[in-house]
């Protein structure tokens, strides 16, 4: 992996705290997913589908996976009645993926559970700090 000589190095404390935060959140998400007998990737897919109906190709891009991997992922969740495939109205060759009513219920339940698990972490911050953190994370993710 090469590094750009013009990039400012990330301070070690920031790098460590970002990594630890990521590990903590992933562990909470993984535990919640396991409690509902879904994988972390299936949980991510359901979170994406809460507010959009992407094509298979778009979903693959959101997840950073190959389309063939997404097809199997959707098959497994569709067998549980949580997602459905439909032919795109704008392009009859494309297939869109959406949550079923059961999928929406599970996604809402999981989101509430994850919020409850993350609350002790964010609860250590004042409302102003939470707002600032939201802005900073959004700025980092926009890069």
């Amino acid at each position: 992996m090469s590094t750009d000589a013009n990039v400012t190095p990330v301070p070690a404390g920031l790098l460590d705290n970002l990594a630890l935060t990521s590990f903590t959140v992933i562990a909470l998400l993984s535990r919640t997913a396991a409690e509902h007998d879904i994988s972390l990737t299936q949980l991510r897919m359901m979170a994406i589908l809460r507010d959009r109906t992407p094509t298979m190709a778009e979903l693959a891009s959101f997840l950073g996976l190959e389309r063939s991997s997404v097809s199997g992922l959707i098959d497994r969740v569709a067998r549980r009645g949580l997602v459905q495939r439909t032919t795109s109205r704008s392009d009859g060759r494309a297939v869109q993926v959406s949550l079923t009513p059961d999928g929406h219920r599970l996604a809402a339940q999981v989101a509430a559970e994850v919020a409850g698990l993350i609350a002790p972490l964010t609860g250590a911050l004042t409302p102003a700090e939470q707002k600032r953190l939201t802005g900073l994370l959004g700025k980092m993710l926009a890069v």
Side-chain angles (χ1 to χ4, degrees), residues 9-67:
V10 178
L14 176 58
L15 182 61
D16 288 347
N17 284 332
L18 284 172
L20 288 171
T21 301
S22 174
F23 299 155
T24 300
V25 171
I26 288 171
L28 296 173
L29 292 171
S30 295
R31 184 172 82 198
T32 304
E35 288 170 357
H36 292 280
D37 197 29
I38 58 175
S39 70
L40 179 58
T41 304
Q42 289 168 331
L43 182 137
R44 290 177 53 219
M45 178 187 67
M46 292 182 69
I48 290 166
L49 296 176
R50 285 185 309 172
D51 61 357
R52 60 187 69 132
T53 305
T55 63
M56 296 274 286
E58 291 167 338
L59 184 57
S61 178
F62 285 136
L63 292 168
L65 299 172
E66 296 295 322
R67 285 176 62 181

Side-chain angles (χ1 to χ4, degrees), residues 5-136:
N6 298 324
V7 174
T8 304
V10 178
L14 176 58
L15 182 61
D16 288 347
N17 284 332
L18 284 172
L20 288 171
T21 301
S22 174
F23 299 155
T24 300
V25 171
I26 288 171
L28 296 173
L29 292 171
S30 295
R31 184 172 82 198
T32 304
E35 288 170 357
H36 292 280
D37 197 29
I38 58 175
S39 70
L40 179 58
T41 304
Q42 289 168 331
L43 182 137
R44 290 177 53 219
M45 178 187 67
M46 292 182 69
I48 290 166
L49 296 176
R50 285 185 309 172
D51 61 357
R52 60 187 69 132
T53 305
T55 63
M56 296 274 286
E58 291 167 338
L59 184 57
S61 178
F62 285 136
L63 292 168
L65 299 172
E66 296 295 322
R67 285 176 62 181
S68 59
S69 297
V70 172
S71 183
L73 183 74
I74 292 167
D75 286 344
R76 289 185 292 281
V77 181
R79 281 194 293 271
R80 291 186 54 190
L82 301 174
V83 300
Q84 62 189 2
R85 293 179 174 101
T86 55
T87 302
S88 170
R89 290 182 183 178
S90 62
D91 180 355
R93 298 167 297 164
V95 174
Q96 292 180 292
V97 184
S98 61
L99 291 176
T100 62
D102 284 346
H104 276 288
R105 278 190 288 280
L106 180 59
Q109 180 182 353
V110 166
E113 290 173 13
V114 169
L117 292 170
I118 290 177
L121 302 173
T122 58
L125 305 174
T126 66
E129 289 170 330
Q130 290 179 19
K131 185 175 182 178
R132 178 90 172 120
L133 179 59
T134 299
L136 291 171

